[in-house]
Amino acid sequence: MIAAFAKRYAMPLTFLGLFAAVWMVQALVLPPSARHAVVAWASTNLSNLAVNPVGTMVASAFVAEGAQGVLLVAAAIGLFPLTRRFGNLRAVVLVAASHVLGTLVSQGIALVRLEAGLLSDSIRTIPDVGPSYVLCAALVAAFLYGDGRVRRLPALAGWCALAPVLLAGLPALEVAAVGHLVAMVAGGLIGGLLLLLERRRAAVPEMPAPAMPAADPLAGA
């Protein structure tokens, strides 16, 4: 039973396990200077994206500056029903694509504003870590497309509780707020696309198996 549960929810269990492990290392092993260095290294800011975009995007999802407990719970509320609805692979596609889109759009807007002289050069090295883009996409997709109305309520409640904080800097086009909004929209759109593909696949009638030719009673006589 445990093995079946672990197989069915391999994606959220792996993600949450890695995030919790990094949290423990940050809190119990690393001194403050090393914690700051890890955050600076993993941040999806303009400087890091220019030299190591893939590694930075992966690492940033598992490193946070604070509120790890809240992030862990929110991610669990979104990721488990998301995986229940779409399966491990498609859940990975949804949150990974949303995380990437949230990063690229938010940092792209920051770059445009920097080049236009609207931001200082310090925007290139701002700390930008955490799984918030992942949990934004997961919560939205879970409450929009999750199995059963009652099972969608925790994801909706989690989104309602966090949205005012996550979107607080949107009028000023703050990087994190823009990224959160993009991840939410991406989670909803990608989830809808996955659902549409699933329904189309289910609507395609299965081709009947070719009939085997009847045996010739005179064969071999």
Side-chain angles (χ1 to χ4, degrees):
M1 185 174 181
I2 296 177
F5 179 85
K7 182 178 180 179
R8 182 173 186 179
Y9 296 105
M11 181 271 192
L13 290 173
T14 300
F15 184 90
L16 296 172
L18 288 173
F19 181 72
V22 173
W23 176 20
M24 292 298 102
V25 171
Q26 286 180 276
L28 303 177
V29 178
L30 299 179
S33 59
R35 289 198 293 269
H36 292 315
V38 169
V39 169
W41 169 76
S43 290
T44 49
N45 51 40
L46 294 174
S47 293
N48 287 342
L49 289 173
V51 296
N52 184 23
V54 176
T56 298
M57 285 192 190
V58 173
S60 67
F62 300 99
V63 177
E65 292 185 276
Q68 284 94 334
V70 174
L71 294 170
L72 195 68
V73 172
I77 292 173
L79 290 176
F80 278 100
L82 177 68
T83 304
R84 178 185 178 89
R85 181 64 187 83
F86 291 114
N88 286 294
L89 180 59
R90 286 179 290 178
V92 169
V93 170
L94 187 147
V95 298
S98 299
H99 177 67
V100 170
L101 287 172
T103 299
L104 294 180
V105 173
S106 61
Q107 293 295 338
I109 291 175
L111 179 60
V112 171
R113 297 180 70 204
L114 173 64
E115 296 296 331
L118 300 176
L119 296 175
S120 68
D121 203 56
S122 62
I123 195 69
R124 295 184 183 275
T125 56
I126 60 168
D128 188 12
V129 293
S132 56
Y133 295 171
V134 169
L135 67 87
C136 281
L139 288 173
V140 169
F143 77 69
L144 287 178
Y145 311 113
D147 291 330
R149 293 183 179 180
V150 175
R151 288 175 176 168
R152 297 181 189 181
L153 292 180
L156 177 59
W159 182 84
C160 290
L162 292 176
V165 177
L166 298 175
L167 301 176
L170 195 57
L173 294 181
E174 292 182 6
V175 170
V178 172
H180 293 145
L181 178 62
V182 172
M184 291 175 188
V185 173
L189 293 178
I190 296 171
L193 178 59
L194 292 175
L195 187 62
L196 178 62
L197 294 174
E198 182 181 281
R199 288 176 176 174
R200 285 188 175 181
R201 189 180 302 113
V204 175
E206 293 186 5
M207 296 295 293
M212 297 296 293
D216 186 353
L218 300 179

